[in-house]
Amino acid sequence: MASAHSHTRRWWSQEAHGIRVSGEGTIATLLISSLVIYVTVVYQRRKKLPPGPWPWPVVGNLAVLAGLPHRNLQNLAAKYGGLMYLQLGQVPCLVVSTAAAAKELFRTHDVIFSYRPKRLDHEIISGKSYKSLTSAPYGPYWRQIRRICNTELFSPAIHASHVSVRSEEIHSMMKVLLAESRTEKAIDLKSWLTGVTANNMTRMLINKRFFGTGVSDQQEKKDFEEIFDHIFAAAGTFFISDFIPKLRFVEMLQGKIAKLTAFRKFLHSVIGKIFEVEKHRQRALERGNDPIYVPDFVDVLLNTPLDNGERLTDREIISILSSMIGAGTDTTATTVVWAMSELMVNPKIRKQAQEELDAVVGDSRLVEESDIPNLPFLRTIVKETFRLHAPVPLSLPRCSEQPCEVAGSQFPANTRLILNVFAIHRDPIVYENPDSFQPSRFVDHPEVDHMSGKDFYGLIPFGAGRRMCPGYHLGNVMVSLMLAHLLHSFDWRLPAGVTEENLDMSETYKLVGLRKKPLFLIAKPRSPAYLY
């Protein structure tokens, strides 16, 4: 009997082993078959598409969006070309990385790719309204808001009327800088510049300064800086549910949705305090048709009906104002910080710029806006800074509204378009030594001008096509003016222990290409006109 039981156990053991081997073989066969099918399908599909890296199952090429995505994409473009295809989860994507590819695409497909993909951060922060100038879909609403901004903020007449505002705000903060320079302490240049650009924008929008220079204003300044740090950080964050919608629970588990929701409340609280939309509405009712009152931009938004006869809601107005002040504040300040960073490691170029300023402006007055056209070398420094350190190295993503054909390949609707401005500005076909800071390259080629409006795509710091930044002229003037004042009125040196050779020039990405470490400099007055 024992022998029979032993025999039975051996039989069951052999059978179980055979089942396991058979099961493992079946699983292996299924995996291999699935892999072969996947590779075959992807290979057949990609034969009809522009070149690009091989996608992983499910996630595709999403890994390239981590870290410094503009550099990751530039490295891939060096292998695959100026027009590259990526599979971002479930989303097809075209990446433009050379001037020639940008020119070809925008000449023929600008309208098709003028739409915005829906993003988690836009959805939560805007309350699903998508009504800011940056996030609104291309169409009647967007065209009306763009027209209002062009007419009421960025027209030549309005720009000229704000000359005194720009001058007053720069001079006001220069006094602060002068006082701080007497202590010989290192100054956080970015913080100082943000005060200039923020006050300039609030005066343009609501005819009043938001930041003062007293201790009581520090919390407001801190809140303001925190808002746009969060906005740009969110805009530069990779949200996996934007590319694989079924994985939104991942963002919930990571707490991203809760953080965005909390930030939306904070944003509306601070921006509401700045712009006081409801107070504007009440004041309009109280004053009636007062012919003396000059309306500000909030009044314009409240009183301008859309083409369908409806008025903008408070939420829509806050979204528009937030995008305006964000685009005109942090990006401009960051560009000047990069310009000063490059000039600190290139003292000969800095000295040449100061010599030009001394020759044109002299030492009996401060720089004026009318001086800028007479400062050609300063303008080359501004161009080279915009080239090497474009405010937004990857332009805000676009998407196609309908199927289209690009470079002989068919793409479905909602194909994303990424314009890699960082890579385009380093296109070796356009620029020699593209990674070097060489303003002289624009002395030799003055026709390369991001402000000319000509059909040139080698220098596009404000984007390209219909959705390029509407305030590009203001941005260029503010960068030029602030940089000219800093160089004309002060000499600069690095803090103890920091040299031209070891100044950290590394970057971080939060939609805007920021310095990884703040730039601290010590100022010494050099212009007698400023010693009062």
Side-chain angles (χ1 to χ4, degrees), residues 163-164 166-168 170-171 174 353-354 356-375 378 477-490 526-527 529-530:
V163 168
S164 62
R166 292 187 285 275
S167 177
E168 288 168 12
I170 292 175
H171 290 176
M174 290 288 280
Q354 288 180 319
E356 180 185 63
L357 283 158
D358 292 343
V360 173
V361 181
D363 60 8
S364 62
R365 64 178 178 87
L366 299 178
V367 177
E368 298 174 0
E369 194 164 321
S370 57
D371 292 318
I372 300 302
N374 301 319
L375 298 166
L378 179 82
V477 166
M478 285 298 292
V479 168
S480 302
L481 268 177
M482 290 192 294
L483 183 61
H485 277 84
L486 293 176
L487 294 174
H488 178 250
S489 294
F490 295 93
R526 68 184 296 269
S527 171
Y530 223 68

Side-chain angles (χ1 to χ4, degrees), residues 178-187 493 495 521-524:
L178 178 65
E180 292 181 354
S181 72
R182 289 170 177 155
T183 68
E184 295 196 358
K185 292 182 180 179
I187 298 164
R493 73 176 190 269
L521 297 177
I522 299 171
K524 178 183 177 182

Side-chain angles (χ1 to χ4, degrees), residues 102-117 136-140 142-143 397-406 412-417 457 464-468:
K103 182 176 182 177
E104 181 63 26
L105 189 136
F106 280 99
R107 273 183 165 182
T108 55
H109 300 294
D110 184 20
V111 173
I112 291 175
F113 282 100
S114 285
Y115 295 79
R116 292 286 191 219
Y138 182 73
W142 177 84
R143 284 192 289 269
R398 306 180 182 206
C399 67
S400 59
E401 185 223 7
Q402 61 191 42
C404 61
E405 180 179 320
V406 179
N414 297 315
T415 295
R416 285 210 181 191
L417 176 68
Y457 289 87
R466 284 166 172 77
R467 297 211 73 141
M468 73 176 290

Side-chain angles (χ1 to χ4, degrees), residues 9 19 49 59-60 63 68 89 110 146-147 162 171-172 251 262 316-317 362 365 371 373 389 392 399 471 481:
R9 284 197 300 271
I19 291 171
L49 296 170
V59 297
L68 299 174
D110 184 20
R146 175 93 176 199
R147 184 172 64 245
H162 288 149
H171 290 176
S172 175
E251 264 97 29
E316 290 169 350
I317 290 173
R365 64 178 178 87
D371 292 318
H389 305 286
V392 182
C399 67
L481 268 177

Side-chain angles (χ1 to χ4, degrees), residues 71-363:
R71 289 188 178 272
N72 299 338
L73 292 170
Q74 182 200 25
N75 293 334
L76 287 174
K79 179 179 180 180
Y80 295 106
L83 187 66
M84 178 172 60
Y85 178 80
L86 298 178
Q87 185 65 41
L88 302 178
Q90 299 172 6
V91 179
C93 178
L94 286 173
V95 182
V96 177
S97 302
T98 63
K103 182 176 182 177
E104 181 63 26
L105 189 136
F106 280 99
R107 273 183 165 182
T108 55
H109 300 294
D110 184 20
V111 173
I112 291 175
F113 282 100
S114 285
Y115 295 79
R116 292 286 191 219
K118 291 186 176 181
R119 287 174 45 95
L120 178 66
D121 57 315
H122 286 171
E123 175 187 325
I124 294 177
I125 293 174
S126 71
K128 297 184 179 181
S129 69
Y130 295 101
K131 290 300 179 72
S132 74
L133 191 59
T134 54
S135 66
Y138 182 73
Y141 174 86
W142 177 84
R143 284 192 289 269
Q144 291 171 75
I145 301 304
R146 175 93 176 199
R147 184 172 64 245
I148 293 170
C149 291
N150 285 340
T151 303
E152 302 295 337
L153 282 181
F154 304 123
S155 70
I158 296 295
H159 181 81
S161 72
H162 288 149
V163 168
S164 62
V165 170
R166 292 187 285 275
S167 177
E168 288 168 12
E169 289 310 318
I170 292 175
H171 290 176
S172 175
M173 292 303 288
M174 290 288 280
K175 292 178 183 178
V176 176
L177 185 54
L178 178 65
E180 292 181 354
S181 72
R182 289 170 177 155
T183 68
E184 295 196 358
K185 292 182 180 179
I187 298 164
D188 181 353
L189 203 58
K190 171 70 180 304
S191 180
W192 180 85
L193 291 164
T194 300
V196 178
T197 55
N199 277 338
N200 180 65
M201 287 304 300
T202 56
R203 288 188 66 180
M204 286 178 60
L205 295 170
I206 53 176
N207 297 330
K208 71 178 183 180
R209 307 179 79 230
F210 180 66
F211 296 129
T213 57
V215 176
S216 61
D217 303 303
Q218 294 308 305
Q219 185 59 48
E220 289 182 339
K221 190 170 187 291
K222 181 180 177 182
D223 289 346
F224 184 89
E225 291 176 341
E226 184 179 347
I227 277 179
F228 291 103
D229 181 65
H230 279 78
I231 285 179
F232 289 123
T237 296
F238 156 62
F239 296 103
I240 194 168
S241 63
D242 289 340
F243 306 98
I244 308 174
K246 290 184 179 180
L247 295 184
R248 175 166 287 208
F249 72 91
V250 173
E251 264 97 29
M252 294 183 65
L253 294 175
Q254 292 174 331
K256 291 181 178 179
I257 291 178
K259 288 179 180 178
L260 288 171
T261 302
F263 171 65
R264 180 184 65 197
K265 296 177 182 178
F266 177 62
L267 169 70
H268 281 253
S269 171
V270 175
I271 295 297
K273 188 188 301 182
I274 296 174
F275 295 110
E276 300 178 319
V277 176
E278 183 57 33
K279 284 188 178 180
H280 274 77
R281 184 180 287 109
Q282 291 301 319
R283 284 198 295 264
L285 293 174
E286 292 169 3
R287 68 174 175 268
N289 296 319
D290 184 353
I292 301 176
Y293 178 75
V294 178
D296 61 25
F297 190 63
V298 176
D299 294 317
V300 170
L301 293 177
L302 282 169
N303 296 320
T304 303
L306 301 177
D307 290 350
N308 59 8
E310 296 181 359
R311 304 278 178 169
L312 292 166
T313 67
D314 286 10
R315 176 179 288 178
E316 290 169 350
I317 290 173
I318 290 293
S319 294
I320 293 167
L321 295 171
S322 299
S323 64
M324 287 289 100
I325 200 168
T329 299
D330 206 63
T331 52
T332 306
T334 297
T335 302
V336 180
V337 169
W338 278 118
M340 289 298 294
S341 301
E342 292 288 357
L343 292 174
M344 295 313 295
V345 297
N346 292 278
K348 291 182 179 179
I349 298 175
R350 185 171 79 245
K351 182 180 179 181
Q352 186 177 347
Q354 288 180 319
E355 289 173 349
E356 180 185 63
L357 283 158
D358 292 343
V360 173
V361 181
D363 60 8

Side-chain angles (χ1 to χ4, degrees), residues 4-30:
H5 282 301
S6 175
H7 176 75
T8 301
R9 284 197 300 271
R10 286 197 301 272
W11 181 81
W12 275 109
S13 176
Q14 291 169 356
E15 285 295 310
H17 177 72
I19 291 171
R20 284 199 304 272
V21 171
S22 175
E24 290 170 357
T26 300
I27 293 172
T29 300
L30 286 173

